[in-house]
Amino acid sequence: MISTVVTRLEEGFIALLLAAMTSLTFANVIARYVFNSGITWALEMTQFLFAWLILFGMSYGVKIGSHIGVDALVKLFPATLQRIIGLIIVAAGLLYCFWITKGGWELVTFNHMLEMEAEDSPLMLWVVYLIMPIGGALLAFRLAQVGWRIIIGRQTGFTLADEAREAIDQLGGQADVNDDAKNGSHRSAS
C-alpha cells in the first residue's frame, strides 16, 4: 500500500516536471512568435526543471530497472559471481551518491549563505541546487534497496533494461499475431 502511494507520487512528480517544462517552452514559443515578445526567464527555468527531472529520475530509473548497461559478460558468470559483481556495482554507485550528496549540500549551503539569485528568474540558487543532495540521497536509497535484494538472494545482479530482449519479444508477439491472422484466413477459405 505505502509502496504504491510512493510510486504514484514519484511518477506524478516526474510527470509534473515534464509537463511544466513542456508548457513553459510552448508558452515561450507562442509569446515569441505570435506576440513578438518572450518570457525572459523561461529558458533558465526550463534548464532548472530539466536538472530536477534528471536527478530525480535517476533514482526512479533504478527502482524500475530502466537504466541501460552492457551485461553480456556478467551474464556468462555463475549466479554467485553475478551477485558479487552486482554488489561491487552498487558500492560504486553508493560512492557516487556520497559525492553528489556531499558536494550538492556544500553548494546549497554556500549559495544560501551568499543569498544568490538565479540570473533571469527570481529564484534563490540554493533552492535550485537543492535537488543535488535530494537526488543523491534518493539514488543512494534505491541502490541500497538493490544491494539488499542481492544480499538476501532475491536478485542476482544489477537489473538493467534489456532493449534487445524487449524488441525480440515484441517481434515474436507480432509474428504470433501475423501467424494467427494467416491461419485464420486459411481456415475461413477452406
Side-chain angles (χ1 to χ4, degrees):
M1 174 68 180
I2 293 174
S3 177
T4 304
V5 171
V6 170
T7 299
R8 295 291 179 234
L9 286 172
E10 286 175 327
E11 291 170 348
F13 190 66
I14 289 170
L16 178 69
L17 289 170
L18 191 57
M21 285 173 47
T22 305
S23 301
L24 188 55
T25 302
F26 179 74
N28 194 33
V29 167
I30 296 298
R32 180 161 297 164
Y33 292 105
V34 174
F35 299 108
N36 203 23
S37 70
I39 306 170
T40 57
W41 48 267
L43 179 61
E44 183 179 60
M45 185 62 73
T46 302
Q47 291 171 340
F48 294 156
L49 290 169
F50 190 59
W52 275 70
L53 181 69
I54 290 169
L55 289 166
F56 192 82
M58 285 188 319
S59 66
Y60 186 71
V62 169
K63 177 182 179 178
I64 63 172
S66 66
H67 286 282
I68 298 172
V70 180
D71 60 352
L73 181 63
V74 175
K75 287 184 176 183
L76 296 175
F77 295 122
T80 305
L81 195 52
Q82 286 182 27
R83 290 174 63 194
I84 292 169
I85 293 169
L87 289 173
I88 291 169
I89 292 169
V90 167
L94 288 171
L95 182 62
Y96 169 76
C97 291
F98 171 75
W99 286 333
I100 196 170
T101 303
K102 183 180 182 302
W105 184 251
E106 289 172 0
L107 190 61
V108 167
T109 55
F110 180 73
N111 280 286
H112 186 269
M113 179 185 69
L114 294 179
E115 297 181 2
M116 293 180 65
E117 282 189 1
E119 192 172 322
D120 295 330
S121 55
L123 282 175
M124 300 301 289
L125 279 179
W126 72 269
V127 174
V128 173
Y129 295 141
L130 198 58
I131 189 57
M132 290 181 70
I134 291 172
L138 286 172
L139 182 58
F141 175 70
R142 295 297 181 199
L143 287 171
Q145 286 180 321
V146 169
W148 179 249
R149 285 194 301 268
I150 291 171
I151 288 170
I152 64 172
R154 287 183 42 208
Q155 195 170 322
T156 56
F158 197 82
T159 305
L160 299 170
D162 194 349
E163 293 179 339
R165 173 60 46 209
E166 291 171 10
I168 290 170
D169 290 345
Q170 284 181 342
L171 288 175
Q174 289 175 354
D176 292 342
V177 170
N178 291 339
D179 289 344
D180 290 343
K182 287 178 187 175
N183 291 337
S185 64
H186 291 308
R187 285 186 197 132
S188 61
S190 48

